[in-house]
């Protein structure tokens, strides 16, 4: 039994729930592992821990690189902890699988939180598929909550798909933007503006302040054209400055107000249940497709099908039926090579 | 052999391509049929017809009921035909499966086109699933083009999902809005604004004109915050009045400019190829999921899995793995009842 395996085998639920950082770190390593026996153990652990959906707030935060996410989290996180909370910072980094990660958990970028006993920062497991990272992050949220962290911030960098994933595992989704007029804001990916429960304009200080005010007005205007995620919550737009520490308290007040509102009549847990169930189907679709794509006979036929679809010689739906039939045949046994 | 079947068997490709309306109508009935032998014949037909992707323009049009889609299509269509084109009007109606259809092809609502020999209007096949309707509409576009219709308008009514489907089978997606300030515009479904290549403010006449001008300004502003679908095309916002016939010529000029732009260096056919290939995968995912959901053993386990996921006793991804494993097992034969 490898050392790694030995260590992960030893995750003690009671100790995790007592808030032991070392145990939490171990538990996260366990859920990050792709080894089947580790996955099993991870499932046992996830099933065993106390789940307390209502006592926490899960905040998603996105923004292009350089917008100042880490700096905000460092300052904002300090404020949150001063209010008597315990904060965990996780990440879904779509670039981690490519470049090894452009964000995060990178402690050097959160010097304040890095040394704060009430903060827990977890780097992204690099080299994973986006879906894989997201799955582990979902599990990580549960474990951090079990360890007594009642504010979870999940940071992601602006790639449309990752933002949708993160908004689907958090209660409140924050979009962070640089001050700037419309054109510079086109960096916003499709649909992201519509995921936002709150928009934060960063670096609203010094020479940028006027520009930030303009952007805020512009965006408040634009956001009113979009159907809000919660009918009784119109996403506020606010300006913050991490360096001048302005807007931070207001930001936390808004988070608390949002939390209070969505928790009314158990709506928060409803939302989380729906998120879990939707995630189950997302995973199911993905796994089915992975199985199909891994199917030898399916792969043999793919090229000819593709050229026929692209030439218009075969309709996309007919091609799909052929693929699925081929896949289903496989399961029963060898299929006539009719490619 | 039923009359219906006999008639569909007789679709004559040459006659279809000569532009015979009766043959086109027959062909569309064929692709709308769900009978396996009809589907086969439809595939034969779709494979046989001349595909001429570059000579046509496919326009998607969406807007809430009452925004004036039919009225615009009637007037706009007349103008298009006066420019020497032949126009086909199709529909993807998400409500057709429920209510029997709130739109369209409803000839009485397009009196001008209904009697125009250069216009072909096709009602939605009602009582179908949205995916089914969309599939048939995709096939219908190909057949209309084969029959020499070089402008295809696909109308849909505002349900987010249907708009995504339509934007995925058209070259240009038009969003139609009523004059009105931000709040009234919240009827726009999530993400629809971001699909739009063009926004049309309807009923910009009489007392509404000032209001329309305000909306136009507001939306032009907002749309600049959104990443355009084509980096070199910022979606224009224009006002039209079907009753005063104003803005109609400008609308057509913009469509032509858009078409010219996306056709440069064969980008249009590239886009259409990508659309077809994406549709193939959408269909594949859907069919796989349908197979899984139809699986007896999977259904037997669903309730217990659901309650375990919702209670947090089982993680969504673990539940997904169980479902897929169950599904794959089925194919090999009976599975141990381990639910």
């Amino acid at each position: 039994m490898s050392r790694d395996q030995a260590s992960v085998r030893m995750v003690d639920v009671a100790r995790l729930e007592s808030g032991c950082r070392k145990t939490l770190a171990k538990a996260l390593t366990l859920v990050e592992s792709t080894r089947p026996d580790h996955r099993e153990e991870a499932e046992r652990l996830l099933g065993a821990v106390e789940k307390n959906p209502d006592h926490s707030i899960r905040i998603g935060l996105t923004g292009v690189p350089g917008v100042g996410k880490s700096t905000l989290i460092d300052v904002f996180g300090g404020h949150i902890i001063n209010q008597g909370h315990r904060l965990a910072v996780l990440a879904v980094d779509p670039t981690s699988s490519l470049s090894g990660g452009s964000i995060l958990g990178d402690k050097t970028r959160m010097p304040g939180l890095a040394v704060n006993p009430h903060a827990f920062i977890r780097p992204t497991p690099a080299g994973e598929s986006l879906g894989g990272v997201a799955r582990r992050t979902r599990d990580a949220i549960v474990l951090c909550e079990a360890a007594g962290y009642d504010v979870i911030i999940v940071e992601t960098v602006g790639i449309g798909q990752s933002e949708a994933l993160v908004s689907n595992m958090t209660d409140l989704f924050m979009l962070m933007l640089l001050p700037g007029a419309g054109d510079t804001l086109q960096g916003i990916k499709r649909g992201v503006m519509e995921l936002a429960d709150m928009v934060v304009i960063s670096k609203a200080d010094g020479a940028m302040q006027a520009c930030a005010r303009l952007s805020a007005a512009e965006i408040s205007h634009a956001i009113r054209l979009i159907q809000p995620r919660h009918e009784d919550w119109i996403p506020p737009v606010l300006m913050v400055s991490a360096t001048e520490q302005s807007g931070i308290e207001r930001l936390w007040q808004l988070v608390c107000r949002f939390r209070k509102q969505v928790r009314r009549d158990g709506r928060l847990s409803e939302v989380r249940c729906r998120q879990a169930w939707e995630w189950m189907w997302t995973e199911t679709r993905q796994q089915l497709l992975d199985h199909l794509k891994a199917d030898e006979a399916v792969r043999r036929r793919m090229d000819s099908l593709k050229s026929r679809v692209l030439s218009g010689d075969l309709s996309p739906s007919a091609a799909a039926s052929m693929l699925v039939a081929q896949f289903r045949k496989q399961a029963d046994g060898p299929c006539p090579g009719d490619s």
Side-chain angles (χ1 to χ4, degrees), chain A:
Chain A
M1 189 189 274
S2 79
R3 224 262 221 66
D4 170 41
Q5 183 177 4
S7 68
V8 299
R9 280 251 173 277
M10 289 186 312
V11 174
D12 175 325
V13 175
R15 195 177 297 158
L16 175 70
E17 294 184 344
S18 79
C20 166
R21 301 169 66 93
K22 214 150 155 258
T23 312
L24 176 56
K26 261 188 203 170
L28 295 181
T29 309
L30 179 63
V31 295
E32 284 166 13
S33 167
T34 51
R35 274 179 45 173
D37 57 330
H38 289 179
R39 288 302 310 163
E40 248 176 60
E41 173 65 5
E43 279 307 324
R44 187 197 61 77
L45 180 63
L46 288 164
V49 296
E50 189 58 51
K51 274 163 284 315
N52 198 348
D54 232 28
H55 94 302
S56 71
I57 176 85
R58 303 167 181 173
I59 303 171
L61 177 69
T62 192
V64 295
V67 71
K69 293 186 293 298
S70 308
T71 321
L72 177 71
I73 293 175
D74 200 39
V75 176
F76 186 43
H79 180 80
I80 291 171
I81 289 168
N82 290 341
Q83 309 304 307
H85 298 280
R86 296 181 71 212
L87 171 72
V89 181
L90 305 167
V92 172
D93 184 355
T95 62
S96 65
S97 43
L98 317 166
S99 63
S102 65
I103 49 174
L104 110 351
D106 177 353
K107 303 191 176 195
T108 64
R109 288 166 61 212
M110 302 180 189
L113 293 182
V115 297
N116 193 316
H118 301 293
F120 184 90
I121 305 177
R122 183 71 174 188
T124 317
E128 292 287 349
S129 77
L130 180 51
V133 171
R135 179 188 313 162
R136 281 154 197 67
T137 308
R138 285 187 69 93
D139 295 345
I141 290 173
V142 172
L143 294 174
C144 290
E145 289 176 346
Y149 291 90
D150 60 340
V151 180
I152 317 288
I153 295 180
V154 181
E155 180 184 8
T156 191
V157 74
I159 289 187
Q161 196 196 352
S162 74
E163 279 136 346
L165 287 171
V166 170
S167 79
N168 262 320
M169 63 178 81
T170 51
D171 310 319
L172 186 165
F173 193 68
M174 257 183 221
L175 170 61
M176 212 172 157
L177 297 172
L178 283 166
D183 295 340
T184 62
L185 289 180
Q186 287 193 7
I188 305 173
K189 294 287 175 303
R190 295 253 198 103
V192 170
M193 179 77 94
E194 277 145 324
L195 295 175
D197 298 302
M198 227 175 263
V199 178
V200 178
I201 314 278
S202 64
K203 305 184 180 174
D205 45 47
M208 300 286 258
Q209 200 140 19
C211 185
R213 218 173 273 111
L214 265 175
S215 310
E218 193 168 41
I219 292 156
S220 328
H221 212 72
I223 219 155
R224 283 175 42 240
L225 303 180
I226 296 168
Q227 206 187 30
R229 300 170 80 200
H230 302 273
E231 64 292 319
D232 55 359
W233 180 266
I234 292 172
V237 179
L238 77 164
M239 301 180 284
V240 301
S241 162
T243 52
E244 293 184 357
Q245 309 232 344
S246 62
I248 302 299
E249 191 173 346
R250 170 104 180 105
L251 181 58
W252 179 242
Q253 286 166 352
L254 283 169
V255 168
C256 295
R257 186 186 303 166
F258 177 88
R259 179 157 175 270
K260 189 164 167 228
Q261 199 147 325
V262 295
R263 279 180 70 182
R264 245 194 286 104
D265 7 290
R267 259 165 59 202
L268 180 57
S269 27
E270 264 172 46
V271 168
R272 289 178 176 181
C273 281
R274 203 186 56 240
Q275 285 178 337
W277 193 236
E278 279 168 10
W279 178 259
M280 200 283 285
W281 284 113
T282 309
E283 273 276 314
T284 303
R285 273 192 297 275
Q286 189 51 53
Q287 289 187 25
L288 281 173
L289 204 60
D290 294 344
H291 281 283
L292 177 129
K293 285 179 170 171
D295 184 297
E296 246 324 303
V298 166
R299 293 158 75 136
R300 274 200 306 276
R301 297 193 64 174
M302 197 57 81
D303 290 351
S304 66
L305 274 182
K306 182 163 189 173
S307 55
R308 289 180 63 195
V309 168
L310 297 192
S311 71
D313 162 46
L314 184 69
S315 79
S317 34
S321 309
M322 287 183 186
L323 277 187
V324 174
Q326 179 72 71
F327 177 61
R328 299 288 282 154
K329 246 190 269 165
Q330 284 314 292
D332 298 330
C335 90
D338 53 345
S339 70

